[in-house]
Amino acid sequence: MTVPVVATELHRRHDPPHEVGFGTVVTPVHERPERIDVIQAALLATGHDLVAPTRHGDGPLHAVHDPEMVRFLRRGYDRWRAAGGPEAMIPDTFPLPRWTTARRPDAALGEPGWWCFDTATPLVAGSYAAARSAVDVALTGADLVAGGAPAAYALCRPPGHHAGRDYFGGFCLCNNAAVAARYLAADARIAIVDVDFHHGNGTQDLFYRDPDVLYASIHGDPAHAFPYFAGFADEVGEGPGRGANHNLPLPPGTGAAAYLGALDQALDVVYRFAPELLVVSLGFDALAADPIATFRLTPDAYHDIGHRLGQLALPTLFVQEGGYAVHLLGEAARLTLEGFALGG
Ligand code: Q9C
Ligand code: ZN
């Protein structure tokens, strides 16, 4: 099976000089352009086809994200620099939800903490262009699967699953998978399966009350892992969405056997939901070699993951999320599609 791989060079414009993790300057950053380069090279070398994204306008983006946040992503950096902010825009002050009179600051140096929830997601001059291109990459992939392709691979960068309606963080600016899922949900019943090591708190939040989009995630237990504040098993959806959110947190050190067992459970829920299309938030940070995560998968496990996803026999949009063991990302991506092609 040859899979269209949607990608653009515009992702390179998001290339921050450093991030802050656990209060310490980290350079180079984990979420860097080479990630996409190695995946793209591996997939094209395997015979998959490169497809350029098409522009989709603001409609699908604003259906998911607060236009005011999008405006901040577009204009906030220049304001920050004009006010004397340094090259990497990282929040200085965060308004905790317990701060009852917190209001959105006018101050350019104060505004980042209103929208961005961590210190690991710096913005630079080209970040918006990259984030915007990643949304178009996901939407172009969505068009391909809606149009009859059995699968498409949206090589999104920056990633997306930590971004919610009006916040961003966790290396994510716009939630590419959620924008694609919302767009596809106009015509089809959608399931999102998230195999990134981290819980996709943004995606969960965006569909938490929605009965028509299932979210199922296998991830590092937030009792030990980022994003810490969401991703627990008792988060099952709310109101009409109750039962359409499924979290499978797993402990540090989880290997392939336990991981694939949890994936089988998640895919059983997906099967019973009877979706017409599948969106996969595909992160490779469950690899043992990943520098920021604690699972112990080898690249071979992605063949098994792909195979299990393929057994659902649904048109499937793969959306790139995380994965930071750069030297293994190409192999993991190739094996995912190889397993998927074995089908159901
Ligand atoms: N010093 C994704 O995989 N915290 N995001 C890193 C390490 C942020 C991961 C802390 C992790 C975000 C898409
Ligand atoms: Zn991740």
Side-chain angles (χ1 to χ4, degrees):
M1 180 193 294
T2 295
V3 175
V5 176
V6 189
T8 159
E9 296 285 306
L10 281 169
H11 74 86
R12 283 180 210 296
R13 297 200 49 201
H14 178 62
D15 192 6
H18 59 263
E19 65 194 61
V20 174
F22 303 114
T24 298
V25 173
V26 177
T27 187
V29 299
H30 295 292
E31 202 293 282
R32 47 183 188 261
E34 296 74 43
R35 296 179 55 248
I36 289 314
D37 295 338
V38 300
I39 298 171
Q40 183 172 325
L43 294 181
L44 297 191
T46 309
H48 299 294
D49 303 318
L50 182 63
V51 176
T54 55
R55 287 179 181 278
H56 284 70
D58 286 339
L61 180 59
H62 289 174
V64 164
H65 289 298
D66 182 350
E68 293 287 303
M69 183 185 94
V70 175
R71 187 186 153 79
F72 173 76
L73 291 173
R74 194 174 62 235
R75 298 273 178 242
Y77 183 80
D78 288 346
R79 287 187 72 225
W80 161 272
R81 292 294 269 171
E87 183 190 355
M89 183 168 73
I90 294 174
D92 179 78
T93 309
F94 300 93
L96 294 183
R98 299 186 294 286
W99 191 345
T100 51
T101 66
R103 61 183 78 183
R104 187 167 131 201
D106 289 326
L109 297 178
E111 193 177 358
W114 182 258
W115 303 109
C116 179
F117 63 78
D118 73 357
T119 61
T121 316
L123 298 199
V124 292
S127 295
Y128 179 72
R132 192 51 197 263
S133 80
V135 168
D136 279 327
V137 164
L139 288 167
T140 302
D143 287 335
L144 290 165
V145 294
Y153 194 124
L155 210 26
C156 295
R157 184 180 167 273
H161 73 156
H162 296 302
R165 195 188 79 86
D166 55 4
Y167 58 83
F168 66 94
F171 310 158
C172 301
L173 305 185
C174 297
N175 194 323
N176 312 303
V179 172
R182 172 59 69 222
Y183 175 76
L184 290 167
D187 301 305
R189 200 168 158 81
I190 306 296
I192 304 171
V193 173
D194 190 330
V195 299
D196 186 279
F197 168 80
H198 303 95
H199 177 248
N201 60 292
T203 309
Q204 165 171 300
D205 209 354
L206 282 160
F207 297 106
Y208 209 56
R209 298 183 60 83
D210 190 333
D212 301 318
V213 177
L214 177 82
Y215 178 70
S217 177
I218 304 99
H219 51 264
D221 190 335
H224 304 277
F226 182 92
Y228 304 112
F229 305 110
F232 297 92
D234 63 358
E235 296 160 13
V236 297
E238 209 169 74
R242 200 177 164 81
N245 194 87
H246 208 76
N247 286 330
L248 291 129
L250 296 170
T254 292
Y259 188 93
L260 294 171
L263 180 62
D264 285 337
Q265 280 184 54
L267 296 185
D268 191 53
V269 172
V270 169
Y271 181 79
R272 284 186 276 115
F273 183 77
E276 297 165 288
L277 289 168
L278 183 65
V279 174
V280 178
S281 267
L282 181 59
F284 299 125
D285 36 12
L287 287 167
D290 195 273
I292 65 167
T294 61
F295 286 173
R296 292 193 188 143
L297 303 197
T298 56
D300 291 351
Y302 284 90
H303 190 274
D304 297 310
I305 291 169
H307 188 196
R308 281 163 166 79
L309 293 168
Q311 283 174 332
L312 289 170
L314 292 168
T316 300
L317 174 61
F318 293 98
V319 177
Q320 190 65 51
E321 300 285 0
Y324 309 100
V326 177
H327 64 294
L328 295 179
L329 300 181
E331 191 185 1
R334 175 177 64 75
L335 289 170
T336 303
L337 293 187
E338 199 175 293
F340 181 84
L342 300 177

